[in-house]
Amino acid sequence: MPTQNKPTIYDVAKRAKVSITTVSRLLNTPDKVNPETRKLVMDAIDSLGFTPKAEARARAMRNTNRIGVITPFFTAPSFVQRLRGVASALSKANYELVIYPVDDMEHLQGYISSIPVMKNLDGLIIISLAIDSKDANRLYENGMQTVLIEYSHSALNSIVIDDAEGGRLAARYLIGKGHKRLAFLGDIEPPERYAIYPVKSRLHGFKEVLKEAGIELPKKYIRQAENRQDISIKAVHELLNVDNPPTAIFAASDVQAMSVMKVARQLKLKIPDDIAVIGFDDIDMAEYVDLTTIRQHLDESGRLAAEMVLARIKDPKRALQQIKLPLEFVERSTC
Amino acid sequence: MPTQNKPTIYDVAKRAKVSITTVSRLLNTPDKVNPETRKLVMDAIDSLGFTPKAEARARAMRNTNRIGVITPFFTAPSFVQRLRGVASALSKANYELVIYPVDDMEHLQGYISSIPVMKNLDGLIIISLAIDSKDANRLYENGMQTVLIEYSHSALNSIVIDDAEGGRLAARYLIGKGHKRLAFLGDIEPPERYAIYPVKSRLHGFKEVLKEAGIELPKKYIRQAENRQDISIKAVHELLNVDNPPTAIFAASDVQAMSVMKVARQLKLKIPDDIAVIGFDDIDMAEYVDLTTIRQHLDESGRLAAEMVLARIKDPKRALQQIKLPLEFVERSTC
DNA sequence: AGCTAAAATGAAAGCACTTTCAGTTTAACA
DNA sequence: TGTTAAACTGAAAGTGCTTTCATTTTAGCT
């Protein structure tokens, strides 16, 4: 016999052959009910294992021990790695992890509006999403402990990296290796709804160093491509088919760098001799395929974010933190 | 002086000139209300400083609209892909996704015993974990809608694949290609705490076909290796260094197959000419690296699991289902 | 323009209790 | 014995919210 719902005062009343009023009264002002009746009702309560549900729930809801993560494409490798960091920190602290995947801005707005009001979360981590001042302030005002990753706002904690510096690192390294024809591949202008443009900054830094070195970055060497395999592959093909093709490609994500590698394999191009590749992120797979890349400590960012919310839940008076995580050049065999 | 009672949704509704329904809806299923209306209502909420009373909510709510997923290493690619399936089904149905990562059996036991009692979950999906009869029955008796993936129990819904058949598929294909020296790499005996042994079955099926074909599978061609890169790499090295090394390796997971590919690269072995590789799972990355593999529809399994719990939440009288998902041989370039 | 499906909305019916209020009993006292 | 106040009790009316269902609006097609 499954699904035996918790007993209500109705069940108790029926069992004790009294009205629900009496049951309620017994629970709230016991001295106002006759001792004999009291005994009757108590027996019924005991035998049914009754516990006023709503009240318990309400009490339980004061401190939910749950923290939420709002993230787009939460199954993309880089997001997963951040989540891993979050999860490990949370599970140590015995907090539940609730995931709110956002497919579009609608979703995000929905979550952002209702979460701080509903308060059925103790804290919130928002990954790679822009949130406007009004929402940030609401989060702040309602005391929802929040950490932003890959975006920042003065009213909230945040963890970011120096994207431009990432681009510079790649450019310097490639130039150091003697490359003259450098290309850039990335989701430079993602659908505006996410409203954050880290790749653009990476391109900026990349350009900057090239310029300093007197190397041109012609338009044909810059490819906008969404982070999907089919699209990236197509972009890489185009990139490698221009005349005087580049000798090195800086891909703004490891996944796209892997698309470059795939196309190179198809075209029987040797990596790194015919074409050098640098990725960005250092996802797990990068090591498997020996991809040279720029590591942004993904796990770490998640762990840190989780620790920050937990710390602020414990002590809400803690100062806000705006953290910039360092990047690291990881030399492997594709470059 | 005046009794400044806390604002209720009625106040908000009046202020925003909508019905209380809309206010409630905004808070619970935000994407079901028009963005313009949303703005109106949010303004009212903000200006009134409205906060819903937890106990009133609890009272009126019969379900939590949350379903939980218990899973080990939830950031391993194959698990992530199942989660993706779960998440997409859930978000369509407006359910929250709570993740319970299990690092050790302690954790699992904790979750399993408290979840059905707490009832702050409408349903539960348990991935790749063995649960004993006692727990299964408790879940069943407490009416917690549960689906197991990669394990089964007669009291609960389950989704499994035919692991042995997977092994057979690989063996047949490899034999068809003329290979005589076949090897097997996998986490055959994982730490007992998880207590499920799909890889063992894959090995069984693999062996079976070899035997029928009169091909031996000597011990030296069978490697136990945990699903970690360092360990797998070491195992592959050993495997390729025996005398008379195998010409083909069936790895029981794509991730391990990728380790094989990495070692082959290091040793300058050509794939598939010098060494053929077949993986298992067909994770996203398999396509990037052109890995021949056996697809077990991971996303699908997650989606299905989610749909099953949702269906049973709606109609608890639905019959239990024990589903066996088909496998599919995916031919790419490593074999 | 005409038609249909989907999206957005509100009225009203719950939910699991609490409270009010109008009875009943009971007990005490004249 | 009749009267009355205190002690009990239950029907019904809230409580603040959710959810169903019917209606309206909008968008997408021929």
Side-chain angles (χ1 to χ4, degrees):
Chain A
M1 286 297 134
T3 324
Q4 37 185 286
N5 270 331
K6 283 200 168 175
T8 70
I9 48 170
Y10 288 88
D11 301 318
V12 177
K14 194 181 291 174
R15 191 86 129 85
K17 294 183 199 298
V18 297
S19 74
I20 58 163
T21 311
T22 302
V23 179
S24 174
R25 200 164 359 230
L26 168 61
L27 263 16
N28 293 285
T29 48
D31 48 296
K32 288 214 168 93
V33 10
N34 183 302
E36 285 171 36
T37 316
R38 175 151 60 211
K39 191 167 174 317
L40 238 57
V41 179
M42 284 309 294
D43 284 351
I45 286 181
D46 287 345
S47 76
L48 289 175
F50 166 79
T51 158
K53 189 178 153 200
E55 201 203 322
R57 275 284 246 58
R59 219 191 304 285
M61 274 172 144
R62 187 149 300 287
N63 194 21
T64 63
N65 255 58
R66 299 190 309 157
I67 99 108
V69 176
I70 304 186
T71 165
F73 2 80
F74 85 96
T75 54
S78 58
F79 292 87
V80 170
Q81 274 182 246
R82 290 204 216 269
L83 278 181
R84 179 162 62 205
V86 173
S88 89
L90 291 187
S91 97
K92 269 193 206 97
N94 250 299
Y95 269 72
E96 279 181 9
L97 166 57
V98 187
I99 292 190
Y100 299 86
V102 6
D103 305 321
D104 49 58
M105 222 46 190
E106 286 308 294
H107 255 99
L108 176 60
Q109 262 312 322
Y111 294 144
I112 290 277
S113 322
S114 69
I115 283 175
V117 180
M118 294 297 263
K119 294 208 180 102
N120 48 3
L121 239 41
D122 293 340
L124 185 61
I125 295 174
I126 301 176
I127 303 181
S128 300
L129 290 164
I131 67 161
D132 66 33
S133 262
K134 211 170 156 198
D135 294 324
N137 287 326
R138 176 163 42 239
L139 285 165
Y140 174 76
E141 251 134 47
N142 289 36
M144 176 61 62
Q145 299 306 337
T146 308
V147 177
L148 307 178
I149 297 183
E150 216 173 4
Y151 190 73
S152 67
H153 185 282
S154 56
L156 304 171
N157 296 285
S158 65
I159 297 176
V160 296
I161 57 167
D162 187 342
D163 286 292
E165 179 60 16
R168 279 181 225 118
L169 281 176
R172 278 191 215 113
Y173 186 85
L174 255 12
I175 291 172
K177 284 272 183 177
H179 289 281
K180 301 281 185 232
R181 303 200 303 278
L182 312 186
F184 184 94
L185 171 72
D187 199 0
I188 307 163
E189 296 275 7
E192 72 197 299
R193 53 206 170 153
Y194 301 116
I196 68 163
Y197 306 98
V199 173
K200 209 176 218 166
S201 304
R202 292 172 205 171
L203 174 55
H204 253 99
F206 190 68
K207 266 185 179 161
E208 197 182 306
V209 170
L210 292 205
K211 198 173 182 185
E212 280 167 17
I215 297 178
E216 252 201 293
L217 183 60
K219 266 231 174 79
K220 65 174 184 177
Y221 284 173
I222 302 178
R223 277 341 266 222
Q224 150 69 31
E226 217 182 298
N227 250 324
R228 275 173 42 191
Q229 188 176 195
D230 50 351
I231 293 179
S232 298
I233 293 265
K234 192 161 158 279
V236 177
H237 269 291
E238 289 168 9
L239 199 49
L240 294 176
N241 274 332
V242 297
D243 41 51
N244 212 13
T247 61
I249 299 179
F250 171 38
S253 76
D254 284 349
V255 175
Q256 285 177 308
M258 290 179 66
S259 288
V260 175
M261 294 173 75
K262 182 169 184 176
V263 173
R265 224 179 306 126
Q266 288 168 353
L267 301 179
K268 310 255 185 250
L269 292 174
K270 284 249 178 312
I271 292 179
D273 304 327
D274 300 330
I275 181 83
V277 185
I278 294 185
F280 198 104
D281 285 344
D282 194 32
I283 59 174
D284 291 339
M285 281 301 154
E287 196 182 350
Y288 279 87
V289 299
D290 257 329
L291 175 67
T292 297
T293 189
I294 290 163
R295 174 182 300 160
Q296 64 158 317
H297 301 262
L298 293 165
D299 288 70
E300 180 67 10
S301 71
R303 230 205 55 232
L304 214 58
E307 281 166 0
M308 281 164 76
V309 290
L310 293 180
R312 294 222 7 147
I313 287 168
K314 243 194 191 149
D315 174 13
K317 286 189 294 284
R318 255 168 186 262
L320 285 181
Q321 293 186 60
Q322 315 275 341
I323 293 180
K324 184 168 280 188
L325 245 31
L327 294 169
E328 197 178 328
F329 195 92
V330 181
E331 187 168 1
R332 285 196 274 249
S333 72
T334 61
C335 189
Chain B
M1 185 175 54
T3 331
Q4 264 303 93
N5 265 333
K6 275 200 158 187
T8 71
I9 45 171
Y10 288 89
D11 302 318
V12 175
K14 194 181 290 175
R15 191 88 131 85
K17 294 183 200 297
V18 297
S19 72
I20 57 161
T21 311
T22 301
V23 180
S24 173
R25 207 177 341 244
L26 167 61
L27 263 14
N28 292 284
T29 50
D31 45 278
K32 288 217 171 89
V33 6
N34 183 304
E36 286 170 35
T37 315
R38 173 147 67 212
K39 196 172 166 312
L40 241 56
V41 178
M42 282 314 295
D43 284 349
I45 286 179
D46 286 345
S47 74
L48 290 175
F50 166 78
T51 259
K53 275 199 165 159
E55 37 117 346
R57 283 200 77 218
R59 195 184 311 141
M61 241 176 354
R62 64 181 110 288
N63 55 15
T64 62
N65 257 62
R66 297 205 314 249
I67 98 108
V69 176
I70 303 184
T71 164
F73 2 80
F74 85 95
T75 53
S78 58
F79 291 86
V80 170
Q81 273 183 245
R82 289 204 217 268
L83 278 181
R84 180 162 63 203
V86 172
S88 90
L90 290 187
S91 98
K92 270 194 206 97
N94 253 301
Y95 270 72
E96 276 181 11
L97 168 56
V98 186
I99 293 190
Y100 300 85
V102 3
D103 304 321
D104 49 59
M105 222 47 188
E106 287 308 296
H107 256 100
L108 177 60
Q109 264 314 321
Y111 294 145
I112 292 273
S113 28
S114 72
I115 283 176
V117 185
M118 297 288 273
K119 293 226 171 141
N120 49 1
L121 239 41
D122 293 338
L124 186 60
I125 295 174
I126 300 176
I127 304 181
S128 301
L129 290 165
I131 67 160
D132 65 33
S133 263
K134 211 172 151 200
D135 293 325
N137 287 325
R138 181 174 33 247
L139 287 166
Y140 174 75
E141 250 131 47
N142 289 10
M144 176 61 64
Q145 298 306 337
T146 308
V147 176
L148 306 177
I149 297 182
E150 217 174 4
Y151 189 72
S152 66
H153 185 282
S154 56
L156 304 171
N157 295 284
S158 66
I159 298 176
V160 296
I161 56 166
D162 187 341
D163 286 292
E165 179 60 16
R168 280 181 224 119
L169 282 175
R172 277 192 215 113
Y173 186 85
L174 254 15
I175 292 173
K177 284 272 182 178
H179 289 281
K180 302 281 186 233
R181 302 200 303 277
L182 312 187
F184 184 94
L185 171 72
D187 198 359
I188 306 164
E189 295 275 5
E192 72 196 298
R193 52 202 172 161
Y194 301 116
I196 68 164
Y197 306 98
V199 174
K200 209 174 220 170
S201 304
R202 291 172 205 171
L203 174 56
H204 253 100
F206 191 67
K207 267 184 178 160
E208 195 182 306
V209 170
L210 292 204
K211 196 171 183 188
E212 278 167 18
I215 297 179
E216 253 201 292
L217 182 60
K219 266 232 174 78
K220 64 173 185 178
Y221 284 175
I222 303 178
R223 278 340 266 221
Q224 151 69 29
E226 218 183 295
N227 250 323
R228 275 173 42 192
Q229 190 178 191
D230 49 351
I231 293 178
S232 298
I233 294 265
K234 190 160 159 279
V236 177
H237 268 292
E238 289 168 10
L239 199 50
L240 293 176
N241 274 333
V242 297
D243 42 50
N244 210 13
T247 60
I249 299 180
F250 171 39
S253 76
D254 283 349
V255 175
Q256 287 177 308
M258 289 178 68
S259 288
V260 175
M261 293 172 75
K262 182 169 184 178
V263 173
R265 225 180 305 126
Q266 287 168 354
L267 302 179
K268 310 255 186 250
L269 292 174
K270 284 249 178 312
I271 291 179
D273 303 327
D274 301 329
I275 180 83
V277 185
I278 295 186
F280 198 104
D281 285 344
D282 196 32
I283 59 175
D284 291 339
M285 281 302 155
E287 196 181 351
Y288 278 87
V289 299
D290 258 329
L291 175 66
T292 297
T293 191
I294 289 163
R295 173 182 301 159
Q296 64 157 317
H297 301 262
L298 293 164
D299 287 71
E300 179 67 11
S301 71
R303 231 204 55 234
L304 214 57
E307 282 167 1
M308 279 164 78
V309 289
L310 293 180
R312 294 223 5 149
I313 286 166
K314 242 193 190 152
D315 175 12
K317 286 190 295 284
R318 255 169 188 264
L320 284 180
Q321 291 188 62
Q322 316 275 342
I323 292 180
K324 184 169 281 190
L325 245 32
L327 294 168
E328 197 178 328
F329 195 93
V330 182
E331 186 168 2
R332 286 196 273 249
S333 73
T334 61
C335 190

